[in-house]
Amino acid sequence: MSHSFTASFVRAEVEYILIVARSIFDLLQEVVSRFWNDHINLLDEPRNRLKKQNRLPPGFARVVFANDAPRTAQELTDRFALPPTLAEQYVRHAGFFASLRAARDHIIHGSSNPGTIFVTERGFAVDPKSTLYCEFPWTAEHHYNENIVSLMPWIANIVVKTIASCTDIVGALGHEIKLPDELAPGYRVLLRDPMNSALMRLLEAIDGKSVWWDEPADPQPAAPQAEDPPQDSAES
């Protein structure tokens, strides 16, 4: 394929990543709000009444912002009766959500775009001074030359932070509530997904280990052999 055709494809993928990542926050909030509003009762009766009076909104922005101003953890606790640990996670990830929403809105409404994609022998690169990428903390390792940088660390940042936001918020909610007894005690499900290797590659990029496509990722550790002595392990 020609470089111009490839660059056009990559631009469309960057736009798609931003749109999907932004949507995930609202999907997360819809799940949390339905669970919080319909299935949780607080032991503190005054706070439980407050929770019922001020139902948690299904949109992420409506939780973390009030008239476009970010809410504090205390404000979230006072308004929605959220536990402090859960409120702190909302506040922790509100800044990333705001930058993601702004980038997505600029693209959807046509005031911005992913900019020029440069196709190099080391992979895809962008101008670090352009609108979409200028706030990312670029380092010397990211640079192809003095003018362009690898696109991979920026993509890794979007994907990894989106997943981390969901993990932290759901984890904080699960930490604060008492779930029913297990239906099948000790039963665990382990998932193997074909995308796992791609996610591991992005983790390498965000850690600064392999920020270009021509750099091999670190090999995965070999599985222990049968003769290896068993190791102590803890299950959570």
Side-chain angles (χ1 to χ4, degrees):
M1 293 185 294
S2 68
H3 283 187
S4 61
F5 183 85
T6 303
S8 176
F9 176 81
V10 174
R11 279 196 299 272
E13 289 298 293
V14 170
E15 293 179 356
Y16 183 67
I17 286 172
L18 289 171
I19 292 170
V20 170
R22 165 65 181 85
S23 299
I24 284 175
F25 276 86
D26 277 345
L27 292 174
L28 166 70
Q29 184 55 33
E30 186 173 354
V31 172
V32 171
S33 64
R34 288 289 299 272
F35 192 59
W36 175 261
N37 294 330
D38 300 341
H39 300 286
I40 294 178
N41 288 309
L42 303 181
L43 298 178
D44 186 311
E45 189 54 39
R47 298 198 67 77
N48 198 46
R49 288 196 298 269
L50 175 64
K51 183 182 85 70
K52 292 180 179 180
Q53 292 169 358
N54 296 324
R55 292 173 63 85
L56 198 61
F60 196 88
R62 293 177 59 192
V63 176
V64 297
F65 298 121
N67 298 322
D68 288 332
R71 286 191 170 110
T72 65
Q74 187 62 53
E75 288 173 336
L76 290 174
T77 299
D78 292 343
R79 179 172 180 80
F80 301 113
L82 294 179
T85 52
L86 179 57
E88 288 166 4
Q89 292 303 325
Y90 273 106
V91 172
R92 178 185 177 190
H93 296 290
F96 170 69
F97 168 77
S99 64
L100 190 64
R101 181 179 66 164
R104 178 262 186 195
D105 289 349
H106 286 321
I107 286 176
I108 290 296
H109 299 301
S111 60
S112 183
N113 59 66
T116 302
I117 303 295
F118 300 91
V119 183
T120 77
E121 72 277 6
R122 303 196 66 189
F124 306 114
V126 294
D127 179 0
K129 298 184 291 295
S130 59
T131 302
L132 196 58
Y133 314 106
C134 62
E135 295 184 2
F136 186 78
W138 301 106
T139 67
E141 289 75 17
H142 299 153
H143 280 259
Y144 178 81
N145 56 32
E146 65 273 15
N147 297 314
I148 59 177
V149 292
S150 173
L151 178 60
M152 187 182 288
W154 182 87
I155 293 175
N157 182 67
I158 297 295
V159 174
V160 172
K161 282 191 174 180
T162 299
I163 295 174
S165 300
C166 296
T167 300
D168 290 344
I169 291 172
V170 171
L173 177 64
H175 179 75
E176 292 292 337
I177 63 175
K178 184 180 184 304
L179 295 173
D181 293 335
E182 295 183 17
L183 295 177
Y187 182 76
R188 298 291 182 267
V189 176
L190 303 179
L191 300 179
R192 178 177 295 174
D193 191 282
M195 294 299 102
N196 285 350
S197 59
L199 292 175
M200 294 299 294
R201 187 68 178 83
L202 291 181
L203 287 174
E204 296 250 331
I206 205 169
D207 289 339
K209 296 177 181 177
S210 300
V211 300
W212 289 96
W213 279 263
D214 67 341
E215 296 174 341
D218 286 348
Q220 296 298 309
Q225 301 300 314
E227 63 271 20
D228 290 346
Q231 297 180 352
D232 293 335
S233 62
E235 185 180 73
S236 60

